[in-house]
Amino acid sequence: MKKLWSCLVAGISLAACNVGAKKDLQPGTWQAKLHRKDGAEIVFNFEVKDTAGHKVLFVLNATDRLLVDDVKVTGDSVFIKMPFFDSDFKAQLQADGKMTGTWTRHLADKDVSVPFSATPNTTERFHVNTPAKGSVNGRWATWFLGKDKDSSYAIGEFKQQGNTVHGTFLTTTGDYRFLDGVVDGDSLKLSTFDGSHAYLFTAKVSGDSIVGGTFFAGIGDGKESWTAVKNDTAKLQDEATLATLKPGAGPLTFSFPDMDGKKVSLQDERFRGKGVVITLMGSWCPNCMDETNYLSDWYKKNKDRGIEVLGLAYERTTDFEKSKKSLSSFLKRFDVQYPVLITGVTPGDPEKGEKTLPQLTGIKGFPTTIFIDKKGNVKEVHTGFNGPGTGEHYEEFKYNFNRLVDQLLAD
């Protein structure tokens, strides 16, 4: 009260009087931006909370709330370590309460960074100027075209209420997780951020078409054009046909070290006479994060039925200790109780299939799930994963997964 009175008597504003006050990471919802060199801004929101005497935050994308509990505030410096994908923020709190700094991804061979800023007490993601003049509700056949003229096909699925849009893109190798955005007049804007995915989609809505789209991928100069046409019957290639068992290949015969360095094989006593679900994954992979979250919980409830889950990790480095470090926090976060083996082969290795699972026609994407019956025979191979951001497709995945496991145990 003394300080307030002296400020008023002296005719000094409260803002000026508080210049020397301790800066703090304000609780509430923030709007964050990653500032690419080409001028595009990948926008997302996060919520800061005070919990048990320390700060935590939740990255917000549509209905998803990703907990980030490694947050340190020292003076006006803020350090935020993302729980997955080996990335972090280093920032400084400004006098006006905003935060500026950099987001850095620690890749296997280098670090890449992008400028970052965040504004407190800002719940909007994208500013809306006018009511929506079109609707993106429904299912859209979508084509992406890269700078090398390579095209790829996806299915967009969106739900729109007023100006607000939530949805995702489905592909044969997985989904784009939770996209969050708006239709402002005829302009569509969608974005997502999870520590790995850092995406921005812009386009124009024109009746049953989405035109003039640009997909800004990541923090470098990755950029593709895209268009879409509304199509309620659009389909992707069957997930069980992308990678298959070679004719006459027989059982899988791999042997890789677990997290303690002990070699594990499918022929070990632990797996003999049991159904086995093998997941090909990596700690760098957002879809693998969603699948691991599901599998970890599922395994705890079902392991006594005579079923095992086994992870084969393809990390960004061939170095065992570095791979183990990347995997450790990933597996701890989801309390994974089934064994995960380190293959020592990177996801970018063009010979990853031949080096690890030569019995398959190849590894087309991550995650890939292999279903093994009690006799050790491969029953099905599924490429990709429809995660919780896909709504009804995630429910369909769970139904089919449990149906297949029931078949493995019945054989």
Side-chain angles (χ1 to χ4, degrees), residues 270 274 294-304 307-310 335-339 401:
R270 173 172 184 160
K274 295 182 179 180
Y294 173 79
L295 285 178
S296 178
D297 183 59
W298 183 90
Y299 179 66
K300 293 169 192 171
K301 297 174 182 176
N302 290 273
K303 61 183 178 180
D304 293 334
I307 188 77
E308 289 290 341
V309 176
L310 178 63
D335 189 28
V336 174
Q337 296 180 8
Y338 53 81
F401 180 90

Side-chain angles (χ1 to χ4, degrees), residues 4 37 89 103 105 108 168 170 177 203 221 274 280 298 365 376:
L4 172 61
K37 288 183 180 179
F89 294 88
W103 176 54
R105 289 198 68 190
T168 195
L170 304 164
R177 305 193 75 246
D221 58 358
K274 295 182 179 180
L280 314 187
W298 183 90

Side-chain angles (χ1 to χ4, degrees), residues 185-262:
D186 63 354
S187 296
L188 172 65
K189 298 177 183 178
L190 295 163
S191 66
T192 191
F193 175 79
D194 57 21
S196 176
H197 285 156
Y199 294 160
L200 169 67
F201 301 84
T202 62
K204 295 289 185 182
V205 182
S206 179
D208 285 345
S209 297
I210 298 175
V211 298
T214 303
F215 168 33
F216 300 91
I219 60 179
D221 58 358
K223 187 164 60 174
E224 297 181 351
S225 60
W226 69 283
T227 58
V229 176
K230 193 165 187 180
N231 184 344
D232 293 336
T233 62
K235 292 182 179 180
L236 296 169
Q237 184 177 342
D238 186 344
E239 62 183 3
T241 64
L242 292 165
T244 58
L245 187 71
K246 292 177 182 177
L252 303 184
T253 56
F254 58 80
S255 177
F256 302 113
D258 64 13
M259 296 291 286
D260 295 322
K262 179 184 176 182

Side-chain angles (χ1 to χ4, degrees), residues 41 78 104-105 141 143 174 176 195 217 219 229 246 306 311 319 360 404:
E41 295 179 333
V78 181
T104 301
R105 289 198 68 190
W143 294 267
Y176 282 46
I219 60 179
V229 176
K246 292 177 182 177
D319 183 276
L360 300 185
L404 270 170

Side-chain angles (χ1 to χ4, degrees), residues 23 42 87 112 120 151 163 183 197 226 283 302 307 326 347 350 352 389 403:
K23 299 183 179 72
I42 298 174
S87 72
V112 292
S151 63
N163 291 99
V183 173
H197 285 156
W226 69 283
S283 64
N302 290 273
I307 188 77
S326 297
K352 57 184 174 289
R403 175 183 57 81

Side-chain angles (χ1 to χ4, degrees), residues 245 250-252 266-267 270-278 306-308 370-381 404-411:
L245 187 71
L252 303 184
L266 198 57
Q267 284 69 47
R270 173 172 184 160
F271 306 107
R272 198 167 299 162
K274 295 182 179 180
V276 183
V277 177
I278 300 175
I307 188 77
E308 289 290 341
I370 306 171
F371 295 85
I372 312 283
D373 69 16
K374 292 188 290 186
K375 297 178 181 178
N377 300 314
V378 175
K379 299 296 285 186
E380 289 194 21
V381 181
L404 270 170
V405 168
D406 289 342
Q407 290 179 8
L408 297 181
L409 298 179
D411 288 344

